[in-house]
Amino acid sequence: MSVVSKVILNADDELRYPSSGELESVKSFFKTGEQRMKIAATLAENEKKIVDEASRQLWQRRPDFIAPGGNAFGQKQRALCLRDYGWYLRLITYGVLSGDKDPIESIGLIGVREMYNSLGVPVPGMVAAIECLKKASLSLLDADDVSAASPYFDYIIQSMS
């Protein structure tokens, strides 16, 4: 949920107008809108490049994943891993655009540990994958944008850890 939505819902729940502090948070949200849109566009436009680089990093870091018996052994399993990379990258853009981690939580993290455990996917491996996705993504951004985008990657990493 965006800052604007939160302010409106909180004020409405309490049958009041938004406070000056809440209005300042909305003002700040709008000031960063152009930056958030630029970050999301960069990530979306470079999805293939990011996913390819992140997977290359992960396979170097954890060659056992693509070795016989590994969770990403074979074309089908590897394709599923790359699909998940794209999915997590898309979740990051939702968070960046909304300026909030709620979309990441509600769309992508509720039950994720249980899902991966039931599929036999090692959760520490997924954490390593998201770390690689973060590194590949942030390499395309300038320092200010890295500061703005990093917390969304870190949120997923911490939630899975």
Side-chain angles (χ1 to χ4, degrees), residues 55-150:
S55 63
R56 186 190 65 72
Q57 289 175 23
L58 182 63
W59 309 150
Q60 284 182 334
R61 190 170 164 182
R62 295 294 308 266
D64 56 304
F65 287 173
I66 56 174
N71 283 64
F73 178 69
Q75 289 294 54
K76 181 180 178 188
Q77 292 305 107
R78 202 167 299 173
L80 292 174
C81 290
L82 298 181
R83 178 204 61 197
D84 284 359
Y85 268 17
W87 186 70
Y88 282 110
L89 188 60
R90 193 172 70 242
L91 283 177
I92 296 294
T93 65
Y94 297 165
V96 168
L97 284 172
S98 69
D100 197 334
K101 295 172 182 115
D102 282 351
I104 296 170
E105 176 71 23
S106 63
I107 296 170
L109 292 179
I110 295 175
V112 75
R113 291 177 64 84
E114 293 80 12
M115 176 190 71
Y116 284 131
N117 283 329
S118 73
L119 294 171
V121 175
V123 175
M126 286 306 302
V127 170
I130 301 302
E131 289 170 347
C132 293
L133 188 66
K134 175 184 176 182
K135 185 176 178 184
S137 297
L138 298 184
S139 72
L140 301 175
L141 303 175
D142 65 32
D144 287 338
D145 294 346
V146 165
S147 295
S150 287

Side-chain angles (χ1 to χ4, degrees), residues 1-8 22 25-27 29 98-100:
M1 181 181 318
S2 73
V3 170
V4 177
S5 298
K6 281 184 181 179
V7 165
I8 291 169
E22 289 170 322
S25 68
V26 170
K27 184 178 177 182
F29 176 75
S98 69
D100 197 334

